[in-house]
Amino acid sequence: MVTVSHAYTPAEAAAVSEIAIKSVHNAIDKRIVANRPSSTEGRALTEEDLLRLKLWYGVGSILSAERRKRLFDTIDENPGADTVRADDYLIIDVARAREQLATRAEALREAEKLIQSVKGVVGGEPVFKGTRVPMRAIAAMKAQGASTEEIVEGYPSLTGRMVELADIWTAAHPVRGRPRKLSELGLTVKSEKRLRLGNERVPQLSDKPS
C-alpha cells in the first residue's frame, strides 16, 4: 500500500517535475502513474508518482513497455537505492532525480508561505505578503526577459529569492481565462525598450522630431 506523504495536483506535479501539465495528464491517462481521486482537483499524485513522471519523460520513453515496468518495479522494491539498472547498458541515477524533485517541492512550499490573497488588495490577486506586488506579474516580467536584479531594483520590497520563487508558484497555479494586464493590477511600466526590425530604424524615446 502506498503511503501518501503529500498529494499534488496535476499543475503542482508539473511545476515540481518540470514537465508540461498536458504531459502529466497524458501520463495519468496512459496509466504511467496511478489515477488517485482528489476531493478538489479530481486527480492527485504522490511523490513516487512524481518520480515516475520525471524518469518516464527523462529516459522511460526510450524503453520498451516491459523494461519500463521492470524499472518501476525495481524502484518500488528498492526505495532506498541510489541507482537502478534499466537494462544491460542503462543505469538510472534515482537519487539525483529524487534530490531534484525534493528541491523543487521545497521551493514550492516556500513560495506558498510567501503569498496571500486579500479582498480589496490588487483585486484579490495573490501578492507577496507585506506588499501589494502580484506574484503573477513578477513571473510575467521574468518571462519577458527582466532579470532578478532589475525586478528587485524596481520593487525594493521584494528579495531576490521571492522573485525566483514566482516562477514555480505561477506554474503550480495557472490562471484560468485571459491573463490580467499589469495596468489592471495597479502596476505601471517603468521603462520601455524598442527594437529594430531588419534595417529599419525605430525612433527611440529620446528622439525628437525634426
Side-chain angles (χ1 to χ4, degrees):
M1 181 176 180
V2 177
T3 301
V4 181
S5 56
H6 185 88
Y8 295 87
T9 66
E12 290 172 338
V16 172
S17 62
E18 298 182 272
I19 294 170
I21 188 169
K22 182 178 179 181
S23 297
V24 173
H25 284 293
N26 186 47
I28 296 174
D29 293 338
K30 290 185 175 181
R31 298 185 180 180
I32 296 167
V33 296
N35 182 11
R36 310 177 196 280
S38 168
S39 58
T40 56
E41 291 288 330
R43 287 177 160 179
L45 296 93
T46 67
E47 292 170 350
E48 290 306 308
D49 291 332
L50 266 60
L51 178 62
R52 286 188 175 225
L53 279 173
K54 192 168 186 66
L55 294 181
W56 164 250
Y57 285 99
V59 296
S61 58
I62 67 175
L63 300 175
S64 66
E66 180 182 351
R67 286 181 175 177
R68 185 170 63 247
K69 182 179 185 303
R70 187 161 65 241
L71 168 64
F72 291 154
D73 286 346
T74 302
I75 292 173
D76 289 341
E77 294 167 2
N78 302 275
D82 290 339
T83 60
V84 173
R85 183 177 294 277
D87 58 25
D88 294 338
Y89 305 99
L90 182 62
I91 298 177
I92 309 299
D93 190 344
V94 180
R96 178 59 177 162
R98 289 187 187 278
E99 180 183 342
Q100 292 172 340
L101 288 169
T103 298
R104 297 278 297 177
E106 178 58 32
L108 179 58
R109 287 192 288 270
E110 185 180 350
E112 298 284 3
K113 295 176 182 178
L114 288 175
I115 67 148
Q116 64 180 0
S117 297
V118 180
K119 185 177 181 180
V121 176
V122 197
E125 279 287 314
V127 298
F128 293 94
K129 287 183 178 179
T131 78
R132 295 177 62 87
V133 183
M135 184 172 277
R136 287 195 177 96
I138 297 303
M141 291 178 189
K142 289 191 66 182
Q144 293 170 11
S147 68
T148 297
E149 292 74 18
E150 289 172 331
I151 295 174
V152 171
E153 182 179 356
Y155 298 92
S157 60
L158 305 183
T159 65
R161 181 58 174 169
M162 292 164 77
V163 173
E164 292 171 359
L165 291 174
D167 286 338
I168 190 168
W169 185 90
T170 303
H173 300 275
V175 66
R176 296 181 180 179
R178 179 183 65 83
R180 299 177 67 183
K181 298 179 180 179
L182 295 182
S183 58
E184 295 174 334
L185 298 175
L187 302 177
T188 58
V189 178
K190 296 191 175 184
S191 64
E192 196 174 309
K193 294 181 180 180
R194 297 189 181 186
L195 304 177
R196 291 185 181 183
L197 299 177
N199 296 323
E200 179 184 358
R201 183 177 182 278
V202 179
Q204 301 300 307
L205 294 179
S206 58
D207 288 349
K208 296 181 180 180
S210 56

